[in-house]
Amino acid sequence: SQFLDFLSVILTVFLFYLAFPSGGYGLLSWVAIIPIIISLNRTTDTRNAFMLGLLAATLGWMCSIWWAAGGISRITDTSINLIIPIVFIFCLISALPYALGCWCHVKFKLGRSASGALISASIFTALVNFIPHILPGNLAHALYLQPLFIQVADLGGVAIVFFIIHAVSILTANGYTASSNNKKSAFSCFVLSIVIFLSNSLYGNNRINNIDE
């Protein structure tokens, strides 16, 4: 179980890195957190959930801003060996909201239904978007090269794009988890995930067409 959890963290970090513009595969933002959510759905240990979230988010940030260490070192004329621990601390602090979101997901048993997925996505959205952070980036920024999927931002800013991405991902993960013992719940999760994704896409397409006109 611990080995599978570790693999889910590595896979999530890898997808997170590829999703950002530096990776060049923005569409992966729709599936980046699915591996770790599936792992969370398998556990009842809130401490383990917190640590999984903390590890995944910290490594994700480190992979995304690794270039910052060299830049800060040159600007401040400071040894990079001193800068790297500072950057790591920044990443660790920025990972705390994600870790708390993972804790809530397990604590309140939000991995069992479609409604739980929407609540979990709302908690992540509130923690990541409405609490000041040193590093404000998130998966919503990975879609800046995919205009179709971010038009909904005119209704609620980055937060609503973030919510939609996480709602789709968590619904998909919950559907996968429920597929082995609760077909009805799994079906509801998958259908709602598709409906949200398509609704966002249709809104984006309509919005872009209106702008063109």
Side-chain angles (χ1 to χ4, degrees):
S1 178
Q2 289 180 340
F3 179 71
L4 291 176
D5 288 344
F6 179 73
L7 285 181
S8 73
V9 167
I10 296 302
L11 183 55
T12 290
V13 170
F14 182 64
L15 293 173
F16 183 86
Y17 171 75
L18 290 179
F20 271 77
S22 57
Y25 298 93
L27 290 177
L28 290 178
S29 60
W30 293 103
V31 299
I33 67 168
I34 290 178
I36 194 169
I37 296 297
I38 291 175
S39 280
L40 293 177
N41 290 346
R42 291 199 309 260
T43 185
T44 57
D45 186 344
T46 53
R47 182 174 61 178
N48 184 52
F50 183 89
M51 294 307 298
L52 281 176
L54 187 67
L55 178 61
T58 300
L59 293 178
W61 280 123
M62 286 295 293
C63 289
S64 299
I65 66 165
W66 59 267
W67 47 267
I72 295 173
S73 175
R74 289 191 294 272
I75 291 172
T76 61
D77 195 24
T78 304
S79 171
I80 194 170
N81 293 330
L82 296 177
I83 298 300
I84 289 177
I86 295 175
V87 172
F88 176 79
I89 291 172
F90 282 169
C91 292
L92 186 65
I93 294 173
S94 296
L96 289 174
Y98 294 91
L100 183 56
C102 291
W103 182 90
C104 291
H105 184 85
V106 172
K107 175 66 175 180
F108 301 112
K109 298 178 174 63
L110 301 177
R112 301 180 178 180
S113 63
S115 60
L118 296 179
I119 294 172
S120 183
S122 299
I123 290 173
F124 275 104
T125 301
L127 290 172
V128 174
N129 290 273
F130 299 107
I131 297 176
H133 301 303
I134 299 173
L135 300 173
N138 57 57
L139 277 175
H141 298 97
L143 289 177
Y144 285 168
L145 298 181
Q146 307 288 333
L148 176 68
F149 300 115
I150 62 173
Q151 298 305 310
V152 72
D154 62 3
L155 301 178
V158 173
I160 193 169
V161 179
F162 182 95
F163 171 79
I164 289 173
I165 293 172
H166 284 71
V168 169
S169 296
I170 298 174
L171 281 166
T172 303
N174 284 9
Y176 174 82
T177 301
S179 61
S180 61
N181 54 20
N182 192 334
K183 303 295 184 182
K184 183 178 179 180
S185 178
F187 179 77
S188 298
C189 288
F190 287 136
V191 169
L192 186 54
S193 175
I194 293 171
V195 167
I196 292 175
F197 179 82
L198 291 179
S199 297
N200 181 64
S201 301
L202 290 173
Y203 179 86
N205 184 67
N206 182 64
R207 183 65 175 157
I208 289 174
N209 288 337
N210 288 340
I211 292 173
D212 288 343
E213 292 175 2

